[in-house]
Amino acid sequence: MSEIKGKVLKHDQQTRMMHWVHLICFIILGLTGIAFYWDINIISNIFGGPANASLVHRWTGVLFLTGPTIYILLNFERFSRFIDTISTFTKNDIAWLKTMGGYVPFIKVEHAPPQDKYNAGQKILGGLIIIGCLLIILTGFPMWLWRYTLPAAFLSMCYNIHFWTAIIMILLVGGHFFLAAIHPKSRVEFASMMMDGYVDAEITAHHNESWFNELQKVE
Amino acid sequence: MSTVIAEGVIHVTNDCKACDHCTSICPTGAISGMLGQKHHIDPRLCVNCGQCLINCPFGAISDASSVEMVRQALNDSTKIVVVQEAPAVRVALGEEFGLAPGTNVKNKMYAALRKLGFDRVYDTEFTADLTIMEEGTELIHRVFNALGVEGFESSGPLPQFTSCCPAWIKYAEDKYPHILPHISSAKSPQQMFGPVAKTYGAMKLNVDPEDMIVVSVMPCTAKKYECDRPEMIASGFKDVDYVITTRELAEMIKADGIDFLNLADEDADKFIGLSTGAATIFGATGGVMEAALRTAYEILSEEKLDKVEFEAVRGLAPVREATVEIPVKALGTKLPVHVCVVTGLKYVDSVIEDVLAGRSTYHFIEVMNCPGGCINGGGQPIRRDTY
Amino acid sequence: MSIFKEKEGFTRRQFLKGSAILAVTVVVTGVFAKFGVDIYKASDDYIAERVQGLYTLDESMAIRRSHNNPEIAQIYQEFLSPGGVNPVSEKAHHLLHTRYGKDIPALIEELEHHDEDHAA
Ligand code: HEM
Ligand code: SF4
Ligand code: SF4
Ligand code: SF4
């Protein structure tokens, strides 16, 4: 592969804002939620006691829902491309999954199969996050708004789904954070989503070969 | 005046998940706590009905239990332990053994109680019939008094409220002391059974009432509180010693490994065990009313009813009213009797306000704390039906 | 130094997928709501079933009026109002009636001394 100089705009400004909002909401929701479940007063006291922590949890939940919703409505094209990307699995993705993208220490990979804008792992994560958010939102709001009218059987089911989805999501997001911010092989992407949106073109050409080949050179 | 028992029967345990569901269930506002905060019951306001208990999504509310004491009494050979069971128990106990709600297991229940070691198995329905005699007569006296018939001047005012539900009684005592003269002075069937068993029953059995232990099986947690009220000592002893719930009876049957579903049918014991259909329907909202109407109609009119069902007082609406024309033989006129049935303590306030303001035209008002009546009491099997 | 960007716009396939995911979200929400409504409707059915259980039992009983219960007649005749069936007799009043609220302390007082009164 020849030398590629320059930068790739991977995430535009609105995407990055949405990601920030969602992330901060998620941390607050996760912290307060875990505090409810295990009665951790140290956490709930940060938010002014359990009753206030619950208020914070619920209104942060509103933001957690509206942030992405507004983003999707304003950026439907980008959203559609994202959905297309994460829902398309090619031979290369399967091959990538078989070697776990070379992230697992004991599987040695010479040259990982060419990947899309998101590698197969990220695609799966994206799908799971969408399903998880949907479940957690669908259960969270009834637990709040219809807690008086809903029968006990339905409420306890909501609590169970809400809690277990939250736990799974926290683990997924934890892994996501590790790969994006700490793992030496992939942490170069961190700055892209969190700061200016750009990734080095050479790295992209290497990590996301299929996608890179479709990009337009603007300057 | 607030009633006497300080700590109450119903408590929120540490399992509370702060979901806040119970505050909407509680008819008295006794539960405090916001979403996210562990909840707490104020025993002064709580009427011990247990509705919060059967509706808590996380089973985080518990009731004080006397099962250990009952076990001890059953093991004590110097004691003669008798048991009464409320009407509502027999159509719900089967649910704990996989039967459909509403399945009548009365005769298996008698058999199971004997197997558990109770010396005599009677029936609260007997004293439900007795309640109709006493409370119905009291109502007739109040009506005659209101009509100016001589000889009934000492009778209380109209309308008359029923007195079977201890949750309702405590609520009235706590919140509406001025309504108390309107409540029938007749005790509830459970509390009639206690003194009857320890006097008449002891006499028939030829035992010393001191050696008698009266146990109730109730669909109700408020009955646990009722039997502990300090004035319930008419027999010279504590009238009803222990109350266990339908759930607790099922637990005892299971713990003893009794094969409930395959028990042979048995009958209740003699003298204070026989009952009528009128007593059976006490367990449903409107049942006390209907049973009273059956008896009042036939006694006042001296005629036999062709149809004993009074459909107008049946149903599950929280407040129902009806008018029944009773031809009163002694007066030679037709008396339109206006009745009202309230199920769910939440709905009683406006009915009471009307009575206190003199706007009420009712003669007789039945009040049951639990939605649907005692069949949905706080001691009944907990259901989580999803389809 | 060159800058690379994605092409704007979307293909038909991308548009369909984006719309489909929104549609699926709406459908899942609807199914979940329907599920909730069904549970809500079913959750109190047992009340009517237990009530019906009592009415059915009533219909199956030989005697259906309280005043026709022979043991009731017997307890009045032998014990509560000897010689007749007279509710609210003195004995019935003592055993079967109570008082409420502020009248309770006096009632307890009376009950505690009842035996002595009768002995005297
Ligand atoms: C999307 C909007 C959300 C809403 C409306 C919402 C609402 C709620 C409500 C009403 C409760 C009940 C407890 C209380 O408030 O005291 C709750 C509990 C909880 N939430 Fe959320 N929530 C949302 C999102 C999340 C997210 C994203 C997470 C995790 C990262 C989360 C984790 C939890 C946990 C762990 C509990 C405790 C569950 C339990 O006690 O079983 N929630 N949530
Ligand atoms: S319903 Fe149960 S879990 Fe929910 S707040 Fe009340 S006691 Fe706590
Ligand atoms: S037992 Fe009844 S009155 Fe007491 S807190 Fe529970 S629902 Fe309220
Ligand atoms: S309605 Fe029946 S079960 Fe409910 S509190 Fe009153 S007596 Fe108890």
Side-chain angles (χ1 to χ4, degrees):
Chain A
M1 206 185 301
S2 64
E3 282 280 288
I4 301 163
K5 282 230 163 59
K7 291 199 293 184
V8 175
L9 179 63
K10 192 161 185 184
H11 310 292
D12 87 328
Q13 196 199 353
Q14 286 196 19
T15 312
R16 282 173 283 140
M17 259 179 63
M18 189 276 286
H19 187 265
W20 265 113
V21 169
H22 217 212
L23 173 74
I24 293 172
C25 286
F26 187 84
I27 292 173
I28 297 177
L29 287 164
L31 276 177
T32 45
I34 293 228
F36 302 145
Y37 192 80
W38 281 291
D39 287 330
I40 309 174
N41 285 328
I42 310 163
I43 302 181
S44 35
N45 286 341
I46 302 173
F47 299 91
N52 289 325
S54 164
L55 271 177
V56 170
H57 187 86
R58 284 172 269 153
W59 286 101
T60 312
V62 173
L63 211 59
F64 187 79
L65 167 66
T66 47
T69 309
I70 292 173
Y71 170 82
I72 290 169
L73 295 180
L74 292 180
N75 299 276
F76 188 61
E77 296 182 2
R78 195 171 280 112
F79 170 74
S80 296
R81 293 200 299 266
F82 171 73
I83 293 298
D84 182 34
T85 310
I86 66 162
S87 62
T88 310
F89 282 87
T90 59
K91 273 208 295 287
N92 288 333
D93 288 311
I94 314 281
W96 187 94
L97 283 176
K98 277 191 184 138
T99 60
M100 295 304 286
Y103 283 97
V104 191
F106 46 87
I107 307 180
K108 286 270 171 282
V109 187
E110 287 305 305
H111 183 78
Q115 291 293 292
D116 226 328
K117 178 173 183 180
Y118 301 104
N119 67 38
Q122 289 169 318
K123 287 180 181 182
I124 291 175
L125 177 83
L128 289 177
I129 294 282
I130 291 179
I131 296 170
C133 286
L134 187 61
L135 283 177
I136 238 173
I137 290 169
L138 278 183
T139 50
F141 282 97
M143 283 154 62
W144 171 12
L145 301 173
W146 299 301
R147 62 186 187 275
Y148 294 146
T149 11
L150 289 173
F154 191 74
L155 266 184
S156 60
M157 185 195 79
C158 283
Y159 268 79
N160 284 331
I161 297 178
H162 197 83
F163 174 71
W164 286 110
T165 316
I167 292 301
I168 292 169
M169 292 240 296
I170 289 170
L171 293 177
L172 284 176
V173 172
H176 175 55
F177 177 80
F178 172 76
L179 291 179
I182 297 173
H183 197 286
K185 205 173 143 201
S186 47
R187 67 182 170 209
V188 283
E189 289 206 11
F190 189 65
S192 142
M193 186 56 107
M194 309 314 281
M195 324 276 261
D196 62 358
Y198 286 97
V199 205
D200 187 82
E202 196 191 339
I203 292 174
T204 308
H206 181 67
H207 275 242
N208 309 86
E209 201 177 320
S210 321
W211 180 59
F212 186 75
N213 294 338
E214 290 169 12
L215 292 179
Q216 285 176 317
K217 197 172 183 179
V218 272
E219 286 164 38
Chain B
M1 188 189 104
S2 180
T3 18
V4 247
I5 289 145
E7 24 4 323
V9 172
I10 308 289
H11 302 277
V12 181
T13 68
N14 217 22
D15 295 340
C16 173
K17 283 198 148 284
C19 72
D20 204 30
H21 185 58
C22 50
T23 52
S24 71
I25 300 288
C26 178
T28 65
I31 308 182
S32 58
M34 287 192 281
L35 182 55
Q37 228 173 7
K38 291 223 182 257
H39 282 45
H40 176 75
I41 295 176
D42 179 351
R44 286 168 309 168
L45 291 176
C46 172
V47 295
N48 305 299
C49 67
Q51 280 303 307
C52 53
L53 188 161
I54 57 170
N55 282 295
C56 172
F58 305 101
I61 303 183
S62 72
D63 52 337
S65 168
S66 304
V67 171
E68 276 315 304
M69 269 88 89
V70 172
R71 287 280 190 198
Q72 266 171 30
L74 290 173
N75 290 334
D76 185 342
S77 55
T78 63
K79 299 287 181 200
I80 162 142
V81 190
V82 307
V83 63
Q84 56 161 330
E85 322 79 32
V89 176
R90 64 208 66 200
V91 289
L93 180 61
E95 292 168 39
E96 295 278 2
F97 301 93
L99 298 177
T103 314
N104 165 35
V105 293
K106 161 165 108 169
N107 304 90
K108 291 197 192 310
M109 172 182 77
Y110 295 145
L113 287 165
R114 289 206 178 90
K115 276 222 149 53
L116 281 172
F118 288 98
D119 298 299
R120 287 292 182 284
V121 177
Y122 299 119
D123 201 324
T124 313
E125 288 193 1
F126 169 76
T127 38
D129 282 331
L130 198 55
T131 300
I132 289 300
M133 301 302 286
E134 293 293 323
E135 188 162 344
T137 308
E138 185 187 355
L139 175 65
I140 293 171
H141 289 181
R142 287 184 194 228
V143 172
F144 283 177
N145 181 27
L147 292 173
V149 181
E150 254 174 67
F152 296 99
E153 289 77 10
S154 63
S155 301
L158 283 178
Q160 173 175 302
F161 284 86
T162 57
S163 58
C164 311
C165 172
W168 146 238
I169 296 293
K170 181 169 189 290
Y171 184 69
E173 287 180 324
D174 290 348
K175 199 168 167 200
Y176 293 104
H178 295 297
I179 207 72
L180 297 176
H182 288 270
I183 299 181
S184 165
S185 67
K187 288 179 186 170
S188 70
Q190 146 160 300
Q191 290 305 142
M192 285 198 179
F193 184 88
V196 161
K198 288 194 176 178
T199 55
Y200 178 69
M203 189 177 90
K204 286 283 179 197
L205 290 175
N206 205 9
V207 298
D208 185 343
E210 202 167 346
D211 296 330
M212 188 184 269
I213 300 281
V214 175
V215 176
S216 312
V217 183
M218 291 286 139
C220 178
T221 47
K223 293 280 169 191
K224 296 184 171 184
Y225 146 87
E226 187 186 35
C227 86
D228 277 349
R229 290 180 63 125
E231 73 275 21
M232 295 301 177
I233 49 168
S235 60
F237 305 90
K238 190 183 179 209
D239 289 335
V240 173
D241 294 276
Y242 307 117
V243 174
I244 61 172
T245 60
T246 311
R247 288 192 300 274
E248 286 166 341
L249 173 61
E251 267 169 42
M252 289 177 76
I253 293 173
K254 287 176 190 164
D256 275 19
I258 296 169
D259 182 5
F260 184 78
L261 295 177
N262 291 318
L263 288 174
D265 286 358
E266 290 181 15
D267 280 323
D269 283 307
K270 271 214 302 266
F271 299 119
I272 48 177
L274 189 68
S275 59
T276 72
T280 298
I281 58 176
F282 261 59
T285 167
V288 178
M289 181 60 70
E290 184 170 336
L293 286 173
R294 289 179 191 177
T295 289
Y297 190 99
E298 294 201 347
I299 287 187
L300 286 174
S301 68
E302 296 175 30
E303 290 165 16
K304 214 163 157 56
L305 278 169
D306 299 329
K307 183 174 180 317
V308 293
E309 291 89 359
F310 287 85
E311 304 286 350
V313 297
R314 295 190 175 186
L316 290 174
V319 180
R320 311 188 290 285
E321 47 181 20
T323 301
V324 180
E325 298 255 336
I326 302 185
V328 183
K329 190 87 177 265
L331 303 177
T333 52
K334 271 202 167 182
L335 183 69
V337 178
H338 304 293
V339 302
C340 176
V341 176
V342 181
T343 175
L345 216 46
K346 280 180 190 163
Y347 303 94
V348 83
D349 286 2
S350 62
V351 177
I352 295 179
E353 314 266 333
D354 280 353
V355 172
L356 291 177
R359 288 191 296 264
S360 178
T361 55
Y362 301 128
H363 294 97
F364 194 29
I365 304 173
E366 176 196 304
V367 183
M368 291 293 164
N369 173 88
C370 301
C374 302
I375 44 91
N376 189 26
Q380 292 283 65
I382 294 170
R383 294 205 72 87
R384 292 289 178 262
D385 298 321
T386 48
Y387 52 86
Chain C
M1 182 76 177
S2 31
I3 302 280
F4 296 87
K5 274 189 174 166
E6 275 179 24
K7 292 191 195 88
E8 290 298 316
F10 45 28
T11 61
R12 203 179 130 82
R13 167 191 150 104
Q14 287 166 334
F15 167 76
L16 287 179
K17 276 196 175 178
S19 312
I21 207 86
L22 292 189
V24 167
T25 308
V26 172
V27 169
V28 169
T29 310
V31 168
F32 187 73
K34 167 85 168 62
F35 190 58
V37 170
D38 285 352
I39 294 183
Y40 175 78
K41 286 197 182 133
S43 63
D44 279 349
D45 285 355
Y46 72 94
I47 297 179
E49 288 163 28
R50 288 181 187 164
V51 167
Q52 194 47 51
L54 285 181
Y55 286 140
T56 312
L57 181 54
D58 167 34
E59 279 158 30
S60 75
M61 305 273 273
I63 316 171
R64 297 179 67 190
R65 300 157 174 86
S66 299
H67 55 287
N68 292 352
N69 183 338
E71 286 189 355
I72 290 288
Q74 189 183 4
I75 190 177
Y76 277 109
Q77 274 161 352
E78 290 184 13
F79 183 69
L80 292 172
S81 56
V85 177
N86 299 309
V88 206
S89 66
E90 201 208 317
K91 187 150 213 159
H93 202 268
H94 165 230
L95 290 177
L96 308 179
H97 289 255
T98 186
R99 280 175 233 165
Y100 305 113
K102 63 177 175 14
D103 298 339
I104 291 174
L107 173 64
I108 297 176
E109 187 76 5
E110 277 174 39
L111 289 173
E112 277 171 354
H113 297 100
H114 183 265
D115 289 340
E116 296 154 38
D117 293 351
H118 274 244

